[in-house]
mmCIF file of all heavy atoms in Angstrom:
data_model
loop_
_atom_site.group_PDB
_atom_site.id
_atom_site.type_symbol
_atom_site.label_atom_id
_atom_site.label_comp_id
_atom_site.label_asym_id
_atom_site.label_seq_id
_atom_site.Cartn_x
_atom_site.Cartn_y
_atom_site.Cartn_z
ATOM 1 N N TRP A 264 -223.142 -20.665 124.615
ATOM 2 C CA TRP A 264 -223.130 -19.152 124.502
ATOM 3 C C TRP A 264 -221.677 -18.686 124.150
ATOM 4 O O TRP A 264 -220.614 -19.341 124.736
ATOM 5 C CB TRP A 264 -223.461 -18.550 125.853
ATOM 6 C CG TRP A 264 -224.954 -18.536 126.062
ATOM 7 C CD1 TRP A 264 -225.832 -19.252 126.656
ATOM 8 C CD2 TRP A 264 -225.787 -17.282 125.698
ATOM 9 N NE1 TRP A 264 -227.095 -18.819 126.724
ATOM 10 C CE2 TRP A 264 -227.087 -17.457 125.996
ATOM 11 C CE3 TRP A 264 -225.557 -16.142 124.977
ATOM 12 C CZ2 TRP A 264 -228.170 -16.739 125.694
ATOM 13 C CZ3 TRP A 264 -226.643 -15.279 124.623
ATOM 14 C CH2 TRP A 264 -227.857 -15.543 125.144
ATOM 15 N N TYR A 265 -221.602 -17.742 123.322
ATOM 16 C CA TYR A 265 -220.380 -17.137 122.971
ATOM 17 C C TYR A 265 -220.501 -15.648 123.137
ATOM 18 O O TYR A 265 -221.459 -15.019 122.909
ATOM 19 C CB TYR A 265 -220.057 -17.396 121.482
ATOM 20 C CG TYR A 265 -219.552 -18.832 121.172
ATOM 21 C CD1 TYR A 265 -220.487 -19.813 120.808
ATOM 22 C CD2 TYR A 265 -218.288 -19.124 121.171
ATOM 23 C CE1 TYR A 265 -220.129 -21.030 120.612
ATOM 24 C CE2 TYR A 265 -217.767 -20.498 120.816
ATOM 25 C CZ TYR A 265 -218.783 -21.439 120.637
ATOM 26 O OH TYR A 265 -218.322 -22.718 120.316
ATOM 27 N N LYS A 266 -219.338 -15.097 123.473
ATOM 28 C CA LYS A 266 -219.140 -13.622 123.564
ATOM 29 C C LYS A 266 -218.248 -13.129 122.319
ATOM 30 O O LYS A 266 -217.246 -13.644 122.142
ATOM 31 C CB LYS A 266 -218.540 -13.248 124.899
ATOM 32 C CG LYS A 266 -218.229 -11.738 125.023
ATOM 33 C CD LYS A 266 -217.546 -11.589 126.433
ATOM 34 C CE LYS A 266 -217.194 -10.052 126.630
ATOM 35 N NZ LYS A 266 -216.506 -9.848 127.965
ATOM 36 N N GLN A 267 -218.706 -11.974 121.735
ATOM 37 C CA GLN A 267 -217.898 -11.424 120.712
ATOM 38 C C GLN A 267 -217.653 -9.950 121.175
ATOM 39 O O GLN A 267 -218.424 -9.142 120.912
ATOM 40 C CB GLN A 267 -218.581 -11.459 119.380
ATOM 41 C CG GLN A 267 -217.666 -10.979 118.251
ATOM 42 C CD GLN A 267 -218.329 -11.078 116.869
ATOM 43 O OE1 GLN A 267 -219.500 -10.734 116.707
ATOM 44 N NE2 GLN A 267 -217.612 -11.647 115.871
ATOM 45 N N PRO A 268 -216.494 -9.677 121.735
ATOM 46 C CA PRO A 268 -216.034 -8.372 122.100
ATOM 47 C C PRO A 268 -215.810 -7.468 120.846
ATOM 48 O O PRO A 268 -215.759 -8.042 119.749
ATOM 49 C CB PRO A 268 -214.807 -8.559 122.958
ATOM 50 C CG PRO A 268 -214.208 -9.854 122.474
ATOM 51 C CD PRO A 268 -215.395 -10.739 122.048
ATOM 52 N N PRO A 269 -215.687 -6.204 121.054
ATOM 53 C CA PRO A 269 -215.405 -5.368 119.826
ATOM 54 C C PRO A 269 -214.155 -5.846 119.033
ATOM 55 O O PRO A 269 -214.190 -5.386 117.839
ATOM 56 C CB PRO A 269 -215.160 -3.980 120.518
ATOM 57 C CG PRO A 269 -215.946 -4.045 121.733
ATOM 58 C CD PRO A 269 -215.831 -5.384 122.240
ATOM 59 N N SER A 270 -213.212 -6.441 119.542
ATOM 60 C CA SER A 270 -212.106 -6.974 118.813
ATOM 61 C C SER A 270 -212.509 -8.029 117.676
ATOM 62 O O SER A 270 -211.776 -8.255 116.825
ATOM 63 C CB SER A 270 -211.083 -7.518 119.679
ATOM 64 O OG SER A 270 -211.554 -8.381 120.634
ATOM 65 N N GLY A 271 -213.704 -8.583 117.854
ATOM 66 C CA GLY A 271 -214.194 -9.491 116.874
ATOM 67 C C GLY A 271 -214.062 -11.028 117.020
ATOM 68 O O GLY A 271 -214.780 -11.781 116.427
ATOM 69 N N GLU A 272 -213.259 -11.402 117.908
ATOM 70 C CA GLU A 272 -213.057 -12.956 118.132
ATOM 71 C C GLU A 272 -214.257 -13.533 118.890
ATOM 72 O O GLU A 272 -214.946 -12.726 119.520
ATOM 73 C CB GLU A 272 -211.780 -13.242 118.746
ATOM 74 C CG GLU A 272 -211.713 -12.949 120.262
ATOM 75 C CD GLU A 272 -211.355 -11.540 120.624
ATOM 76 O OE1 GLU A 272 -211.347 -10.680 119.713
ATOM 77 O OE2 GLU A 272 -210.958 -11.377 121.736
ATOM 78 N N LEU A 273 -214.419 -14.793 118.714
ATOM 79 C CA LEU A 273 -215.521 -15.433 119.425
ATOM 80 C C LEU A 273 -214.934 -16.075 120.694
ATOM 81 O O LEU A 273 -214.117 -16.916 120.570
ATOM 82 C CB LEU A 273 -216.200 -16.534 118.500
ATOM 83 C CG LEU A 273 -217.079 -15.944 117.417
ATOM 84 C CD1 LEU A 273 -217.376 -16.969 116.442
ATOM 85 C CD2 LEU A 273 -218.396 -15.321 118.015
ATOM 86 N N VAL A 274 -215.653 -15.801 121.814
ATOM 87 C CA VAL A 274 -215.102 -16.332 123.111
ATOM 88 C C VAL A 274 -216.159 -17.285 123.641
ATOM 89 O O VAL A 274 -217.357 -16.887 123.827
ATOM 90 C CB VAL A 274 -214.798 -15.188 124.044
ATOM 91 C CG1 VAL A 274 -214.374 -15.797 125.426
ATOM 92 C CG2 VAL A 274 -213.763 -14.167 123.488
ATOM 93 N N PHE A 275 -215.670 -18.501 123.777
ATOM 94 C CA PHE A 275 -216.627 -19.573 124.261
ATOM 95 C C PHE A 275 -216.941 -19.305 125.742
ATOM 96 O O PHE A 275 -215.962 -19.003 126.602
ATOM 97 C CB PHE A 275 -215.881 -20.907 124.141
ATOM 98 C CG PHE A 275 -216.505 -22.007 124.899
ATOM 99 C CD1 PHE A 275 -217.739 -22.596 124.362
ATOM 100 C CD2 PHE A 275 -215.995 -22.521 126.072
ATOM 101 C CE1 PHE A 275 -218.336 -23.637 125.077
ATOM 102 C CE2 PHE A 275 -216.700 -23.550 126.746
ATOM 103 C CZ PHE A 275 -217.816 -24.121 126.253
ATOM 104 N N LEU A 276 -218.162 -19.355 126.098
ATOM 105 C CA LEU A 276 -218.585 -19.187 127.500
ATOM 106 C C LEU A 276 -219.060 -20.489 128.174
ATOM 107 O O LEU A 276 -218.704 -20.794 129.346
ATOM 108 C CB LEU A 276 -219.709 -18.086 127.647
ATOM 109 C CG LEU A 276 -219.389 -16.677 127.134
ATOM 110 C CD1 LEU A 276 -220.627 -15.823 127.246
ATOM 111 C CD2 LEU A 276 -218.213 -16.135 128.023
ATOM 112 N N ILE A 277 -219.938 -21.131 127.559
ATOM 113 C CA ILE A 277 -220.557 -22.379 128.175
ATOM 114 C C ILE A 277 -221.047 -23.223 127.126
ATOM 115 O O ILE A 277 -221.539 -22.914 126.036
ATOM 116 C CB ILE A 277 -221.628 -21.930 129.204
ATOM 117 C CG1 ILE A 277 -222.054 -23.165 129.903
ATOM 118 C CG2 ILE A 277 -222.856 -21.321 128.462
ATOM 119 C CD1 ILE A 277 -223.020 -22.904 131.161
ATOM 120 N N ARG A 278 -221.046 -24.568 127.376
ATOM 121 C CA ARG A 278 -221.761 -25.651 126.712
ATOM 122 C C ARG A 278 -222.580 -26.513 127.661
ATOM 123 O O ARG A 278 -222.040 -26.785 128.687
ATOM 124 C CB ARG A 278 -220.755 -26.530 125.909
ATOM 125 C CG ARG A 278 -221.381 -27.623 125.086
ATOM 126 C CD ARG A 278 -220.274 -28.535 124.443
ATOM 127 N NE ARG A 278 -219.604 -29.413 125.433
ATOM 128 C CZ ARG A 278 -218.428 -29.926 125.172
ATOM 129 N NH1 ARG A 278 -217.770 -29.597 124.132
ATOM 130 N NH2 ARG A 278 -217.952 -30.637 126.216
ATOM 131 N N ARG A 279 -223.847 -26.763 127.174
ATOM 132 C CA ARG A 279 -224.688 -27.457 128.034
ATOM 133 C C ARG A 279 -225.358 -28.629 127.192
ATOM 134 O O ARG A 279 -225.795 -28.303 126.138
ATOM 135 C CB ARG A 279 -225.772 -26.582 128.566
ATOM 136 C CG ARG A 279 -226.174 -26.623 130.053
ATOM 137 C CD ARG A 279 -225.349 -27.378 130.692
ATOM 138 N NE ARG A 279 -224.894 -27.451 132.089
ATOM 139 C CZ ARG A 279 -225.415 -26.880 133.098
ATOM 140 N NH1 ARG A 279 -226.421 -26.202 133.044
ATOM 141 N NH2 ARG A 279 -224.889 -27.191 134.275
ATOM 142 N N ASN A 280 -225.493 -29.806 127.732
ATOM 143 C CA ASN A 280 -226.211 -30.850 126.999
ATOM 144 C C ASN A 280 -227.571 -30.861 127.444
ATOM 145 O O ASN A 280 -227.942 -30.409 128.592
ATOM 146 C CB ASN A 280 -225.484 -32.266 127.063
ATOM 147 C CG ASN A 280 -225.682 -32.836 128.451
ATOM 148 O OD1 ASN A 280 -226.718 -33.111 128.857
ATOM 149 N ND2 ASN A 280 -224.574 -33.228 129.034
ATOM 150 N N SER A 281 -228.464 -31.529 126.705
ATOM 151 C CA SER A 281 -229.899 -31.416 126.854
ATOM 152 C C SER A 281 -230.339 -32.283 128.052
ATOM 153 O O SER A 281 -231.439 -32.136 128.463
ATOM 154 C CB SER A 281 -230.657 -31.948 125.645
ATOM 155 O OG SER A 281 -230.107 -33.232 125.242
ATOM 156 N N PHE A 282 -229.499 -33.066 128.532
ATOM 157 C CA PHE A 282 -229.756 -33.935 129.766
ATOM 158 C C PHE A 282 -229.429 -33.268 131.020
ATOM 159 O O PHE A 282 -229.827 -33.804 132.162
ATOM 160 C CB PHE A 282 -229.205 -35.313 129.672
ATOM 161 C CG PHE A 282 -229.626 -36.064 128.417
ATOM 162 C CD1 PHE A 282 -228.718 -36.249 127.360
ATOM 163 C CD2 PHE A 282 -230.855 -36.568 128.335
ATOM 164 C CE1 PHE A 282 -229.129 -36.916 126.259
ATOM 165 C CE2 PHE A 282 -231.342 -37.225 127.202
ATOM 166 C CZ PHE A 282 -230.431 -37.394 126.155
ATOM 167 N N ASP A 283 -228.806 -32.110 130.975
ATOM 168 C CA ASP A 283 -228.352 -31.491 132.189
ATOM 169 C C ASP A 283 -229.042 -30.192 132.342
ATOM 170 O O ASP A 283 -228.607 -29.197 131.860
ATOM 171 C CB ASP A 283 -226.852 -31.386 132.078
ATOM 172 C CG ASP A 283 -226.257 -30.710 133.416
ATOM 173 O OD1 ASP A 283 -227.133 -30.457 134.394
ATOM 174 O OD2 ASP A 283 -225.063 -30.415 133.520
ATOM 175 N N GLU A 284 -230.095 -30.182 133.243
ATOM 176 C CA GLU A 284 -230.921 -28.874 133.383
ATOM 177 C C GLU A 284 -230.486 -28.134 134.533
ATOM 178 O O GLU A 284 -231.197 -27.141 134.887
ATOM 179 C CB GLU A 284 -232.371 -29.360 133.451
ATOM 180 C CG GLU A 284 -233.098 -29.575 132.127
ATOM 181 C CD GLU A 284 -234.589 -29.605 132.221
ATOM 182 O OE1 GLU A 284 -235.116 -28.571 132.206
ATOM 183 O OE2 GLU A 284 -235.068 -30.761 132.240
ATOM 184 N N GLN A 285 -229.423 -28.495 135.239
ATOM 185 C CA GLN A 285 -229.002 -27.748 136.341
ATOM 186 C C GLN A 285 -228.509 -26.350 135.974
ATOM 187 O O GLN A 285 -227.792 -26.194 134.896
ATOM 188 C CB GLN A 285 -227.801 -28.479 136.991
ATOM 189 C CG GLN A 285 -228.185 -29.433 138.012
ATOM 190 C CD GLN A 285 -227.044 -29.857 138.943
ATOM 191 O OE1 GLN A 285 -225.965 -29.814 138.517
ATOM 192 N NE2 GLN A 285 -227.330 -30.267 140.224
ATOM 193 N N ASN A 286 -228.921 -25.386 136.700
ATOM 194 C CA ASN A 286 -228.404 -24.043 136.355
ATOM 195 C C ASN A 286 -226.885 -24.054 136.691
ATOM 196 O O ASN A 286 -226.444 -24.727 137.517
ATOM 197 C CB ASN A 286 -229.131 -22.972 137.172
ATOM 198 C CG ASN A 286 -230.580 -22.931 136.706
ATOM 199 O OD1 ASN A 286 -230.844 -23.186 135.536
ATOM 200 N ND2 ASN A 286 -231.527 -22.459 137.567
ATOM 201 N N GLU A 287 -226.190 -23.069 136.036
ATOM 202 C CA GLU A 287 -224.822 -23.023 136.222
ATOM 203 C C GLU A 287 -224.415 -21.543 136.575
ATOM 204 O O GLU A 287 -224.965 -20.619 136.039
ATOM 205 C CB GLU A 287 -223.982 -23.483 135.028
ATOM 206 C CG GLU A 287 -222.554 -23.341 135.145
ATOM 207 C CD GLU A 287 -221.832 -24.458 134.346
ATOM 208 O OE1 GLU A 287 -222.421 -25.428 134.019
ATOM 209 O OE2 GLU A 287 -220.624 -24.283 134.214
ATOM 210 N N ILE A 288 -223.478 -21.472 137.440
ATOM 211 C CA ILE A 288 -222.902 -20.141 137.814
ATOM 212 C C ILE A 288 -221.426 -20.004 137.763
ATOM 213 O O ILE A 288 -220.801 -21.063 138.133
ATOM 214 C CB ILE A 288 -223.330 -19.752 139.315
ATOM 215 C CG1 ILE A 288 -224.833 -19.751 139.450
ATOM 216 C CG2 ILE A 288 -222.738 -18.375 139.724
ATOM 217 C CD1 ILE A 288 -225.277 -19.542 140.843
ATOM 218 N N SER A 289 -220.977 -19.077 137.062
ATOM 219 C CA SER A 289 -219.510 -18.827 136.946
ATOM 220 C C SER A 289 -219.183 -17.461 137.154
ATOM 221 O O SER A 289 -219.310 -16.581 136.362
ATOM 222 C CB SER A 289 -219.047 -19.288 135.510
ATOM 223 O OG SER A 289 -217.641 -19.036 135.415
ATOM 224 N N GLY A 290 -218.881 -17.190 138.427
ATOM 225 C CA GLY A 290 -218.559 -15.791 138.833
ATOM 226 C C GLY A 290 -219.768 -14.916 138.635
ATOM 227 O O GLY A 290 -220.822 -15.255 139.293
ATOM 228 N N ARG A 291 -219.739 -13.891 137.863
ATOM 229 C CA ARG A 291 -220.932 -13.057 137.625
ATOM 230 C C ARG A 291 -221.878 -13.565 136.637
ATOM 231 O O ARG A 291 -222.895 -12.968 136.420
ATOM 232 C CB ARG A 291 -220.412 -11.597 137.234
ATOM 233 C CG ARG A 291 -219.616 -10.894 138.332
ATOM 234 C CD ARG A 291 -219.240 -9.480 137.853
ATOM 235 N NE ARG A 291 -218.424 -9.473 136.631
ATOM 236 C CZ ARG A 291 -218.865 -9.102 135.422
ATOM 237 N NH1 ARG A 291 -220.122 -8.723 135.371
ATOM 238 N NH2 ARG A 291 -218.085 -9.125 134.369
ATOM 239 N N TYR A 292 -221.483 -14.642 136.054
ATOM 240 C CA TYR A 292 -222.315 -15.220 134.944
ATOM 241 C C TYR A 292 -223.116 -16.393 135.419
ATOM 242 O O TYR A 292 -222.595 -17.281 136.231
ATOM 243 C CB TYR A 292 -221.477 -15.694 133.773
ATOM 244 C CG TYR A 292 -220.675 -14.714 132.996
ATOM 245 C CD1 TYR A 292 -219.714 -15.085 132.091
ATOM 246 C CD2 TYR A 292 -220.854 -13.336 133.173
ATOM 247 C CE1 TYR A 292 -218.976 -14.278 131.344
ATOM 248 C CE2 TYR A 292 -220.100 -12.415 132.471
ATOM 249 C CZ TYR A 292 -219.161 -12.819 131.484
ATOM 250 O OH TYR A 292 -218.427 -11.983 130.885
ATOM 251 N N SER A 293 -224.411 -16.488 134.977
ATOM 252 C CA SER A 293 -225.154 -17.595 135.288
ATOM 253 C C SER A 293 -226.095 -17.933 134.139
ATOM 254 O O SER A 293 -226.443 -17.081 133.350
ATOM 255 C CB SER A 293 -226.039 -17.361 136.573
ATOM 256 O OG SER A 293 -226.876 -16.346 136.384
ATOM 257 N N TRP A 294 -226.485 -19.229 134.082
ATOM 258 C CA TRP A 294 -227.217 -19.673 132.931
ATOM 259 C C TRP A 294 -228.431 -20.455 133.448
ATOM 260 O O TRP A 294 -228.285 -21.274 134.407
ATOM 261 C CB TRP A 294 -226.440 -20.549 132.083
ATOM 262 C CG TRP A 294 -225.460 -19.792 131.229
ATOM 263 C CD1 TRP A 294 -225.582 -19.155 130.088
ATOM 264 C CD2 TRP A 294 -224.104 -19.524 131.738
ATOM 265 N NE1 TRP A 294 -224.387 -18.563 129.628
ATOM 266 C CE2 TRP A 294 -223.424 -18.740 130.673
ATOM 267 C CE3 TRP A 294 -223.392 -19.900 132.830
ATOM 268 C CZ2 TRP A 294 -222.171 -18.289 130.695
ATOM 269 C CZ3 TRP A 294 -222.027 -19.441 132.896
ATOM 270 C CH2 TRP A 294 -221.440 -18.588 131.921
ATOM 271 N N ASN A 295 -229.647 -20.225 132.912
ATOM 272 C CA ASN A 295 -230.776 -20.932 133.254
ATOM 273 C C ASN A 295 -231.353 -21.680 132.085
ATOM 274 O O ASN A 295 -231.752 -21.138 131.103
ATOM 275 C CB ASN A 295 -231.896 -19.841 133.717
ATOM 276 C CG ASN A 295 -233.144 -20.503 134.239
ATOM 277 O OD1 ASN A 295 -233.832 -21.171 133.536
ATOM 278 N ND2 ASN A 295 -233.446 -20.282 135.549
ATOM 279 N N PHE A 296 -231.336 -23.052 132.215
ATOM 280 C CA PHE A 296 -231.670 -23.926 131.180
ATOM 281 C C PHE A 296 -233.064 -24.480 131.598
ATOM 282 O O PHE A 296 -233.134 -25.197 132.543
ATOM 283 C CB PHE A 296 -230.674 -25.002 130.955
ATOM 284 C CG PHE A 296 -231.016 -26.012 129.941
ATOM 285 C CD1 PHE A 296 -231.825 -25.736 128.914
ATOM 286 C CD2 PHE A 296 -230.612 -27.314 130.061
ATOM 287 C CE1 PHE A 296 -232.144 -26.763 127.836
ATOM 288 C CE2 PHE A 296 -230.788 -28.312 129.141
ATOM 289 C CZ PHE A 296 -231.697 -27.928 128.010
ATOM 290 N N GLN A 297 -234.108 -24.282 130.707
ATOM 291 C CA GLN A 297 -235.467 -24.865 130.987
ATOM 292 C C GLN A 297 -235.870 -25.473 129.770
ATOM 293 O O GLN A 297 -236.263 -24.781 128.710
ATOM 294 C CB GLN A 297 -236.343 -23.721 131.413
ATOM 295 C CG GLN A 297 -235.988 -23.141 132.794
ATOM 296 C CD GLN A 297 -237.181 -22.373 133.368
ATOM 297 O OE1 GLN A 297 -238.217 -22.034 132.713
ATOM 298 N NE2 GLN A 297 -237.106 -22.149 134.719
ATOM 299 N N LYS A 298 -235.926 -26.861 129.745
ATOM 300 C CA LYS A 298 -236.423 -27.617 128.628
ATOM 301 C C LYS A 298 -237.856 -27.374 128.409
ATOM 302 O O LYS A 298 -238.421 -27.499 127.290
ATOM 303 C CB LYS A 298 -236.176 -29.163 128.794
ATOM 304 C CG LYS A 298 -234.624 -29.438 128.551
ATOM 305 C CD LYS A 298 -234.411 -30.881 128.748
ATOM 306 C CE LYS A 298 -234.790 -31.766 127.761
ATOM 307 N NZ LYS A 298 -234.309 -33.168 127.886
ATOM 308 N N SER A 299 -238.697 -27.162 129.477
ATOM 309 C CA SER A 299 -240.087 -26.986 129.247
ATOM 310 C C SER A 299 -240.475 -25.797 128.472
ATOM 311 O O SER A 299 -241.475 -25.807 127.826
ATOM 312 C CB SER A 299 -240.708 -26.879 130.681
ATOM 313 O OG SER A 299 -240.143 -25.788 131.320
ATOM 314 N N THR A 300 -239.551 -24.762 128.448
ATOM 315 C CA THR A 300 -239.912 -23.596 127.632
ATOM 316 C C THR A 300 -238.792 -23.425 126.526
ATOM 317 O O THR A 300 -238.826 -22.455 125.807
ATOM 318 C CB THR A 300 -239.871 -22.336 128.525
ATOM 319 O OG1 THR A 300 -238.606 -22.329 129.211
ATOM 320 C CG2 THR A 300 -240.985 -22.369 129.529
ATOM 321 N N SER A 301 -237.970 -24.492 126.406
ATOM 322 C CA SER A 301 -236.950 -24.424 125.289
ATOM 323 C C SER A 301 -236.097 -23.132 125.409
ATOM 324 O O SER A 301 -235.893 -22.465 124.449
ATOM 325 C CB SER A 301 -237.512 -24.588 123.901
ATOM 326 O OG SER A 301 -238.135 -25.844 123.760
ATOM 327 N N SER A 302 -235.682 -22.894 126.568
ATOM 328 C CA SER A 302 -234.902 -21.598 126.758
ATOM 329 C C SER A 302 -233.593 -21.877 127.467
ATOM 330 O O SER A 302 -233.477 -22.809 128.289
ATOM 331 C CB SER A 302 -235.792 -20.569 127.592
ATOM 332 O OG SER A 302 -236.037 -21.061 128.845
ATOM 333 N N PHE A 303 -232.695 -21.055 127.221
ATOM 334 C CA PHE A 303 -231.343 -21.060 127.736
ATOM 335 C C PHE A 303 -230.849 -19.660 128.000
ATOM 336 O O PHE A 303 -230.062 -19.184 127.264
ATOM 337 C CB PHE A 303 -230.414 -21.934 126.855
ATOM 338 C CG PHE A 303 -229.069 -22.232 127.420
ATOM 339 C CD1 PHE A 303 -228.858 -22.756 128.745
ATOM 340 C CD2 PHE A 303 -227.995 -22.105 126.722
ATOM 341 C CE1 PHE A 303 -227.654 -23.031 129.282
ATOM 342 C CE2 PHE A 303 -226.607 -22.462 127.323
ATOM 343 C CZ PHE A 303 -226.545 -22.774 128.509
ATOM 344 N N ASN A 304 -231.248 -19.086 129.102
ATOM 345 C CA ASN A 304 -231.064 -17.645 129.224
ATOM 346 C C ASN A 304 -229.830 -17.411 130.090
ATOM 347 O O ASN A 304 -229.372 -18.240 130.870
ATOM 348 C CB ASN A 304 -232.222 -17.018 130.105
ATOM 349 C CG ASN A 304 -233.544 -17.045 129.166
ATOM 350 O OD1 ASN A 304 -233.414 -17.119 127.969
ATOM 351 N ND2 ASN A 304 -234.649 -17.056 129.807
ATOM 352 N N PHE A 305 -229.242 -16.301 129.803
ATOM 353 C CA PHE A 305 -227.881 -15.973 130.311
ATOM 354 C C PHE A 305 -227.952 -14.605 131.099
ATOM 355 O O PHE A 305 -228.493 -13.648 130.644
ATOM 356 C CB PHE A 305 -226.939 -15.751 129.178
ATOM 357 C CG PHE A 305 -225.567 -15.257 129.482
ATOM 358 C CD1 PHE A 305 -224.855 -15.572 130.648
ATOM 359 C CD2 PHE A 305 -224.857 -14.462 128.532
ATOM 360 C CE1 PHE A 305 -223.578 -15.010 130.911
ATOM 361 C CE2 PHE A 305 -223.557 -13.976 128.817
ATOM 362 C CZ PHE A 305 -223.042 -14.198 129.944
#
Side-chain angles (χ1 to χ4, degrees):
Chain A
W264 276 95
Y265 286 87
K266 174 183 180 179
Q267 186 176 48
S270 52
E272 74 273 19
L273 286 166
V274 178
F275 167 79
L276 296 178
I277 190 171
R278 181 181 71 203
R279 226 9 154 17
N280 74 56
S281 53
F282 298 110
D283 184 1
E284 283 194 75
Q285 274 197 330
N286 291 333
E287 179 148 344
I288 299 174
S289 177
R291 296 185 296 108
Y292 294 171
S293 62
W294 290 270
N295 183 299
F296 176 27
Q297 293 198 345
K298 283 176 81 168
S299 60
T300 56
S301 297
S302 65
F303 187 44
N304 296 338
F305 172 34

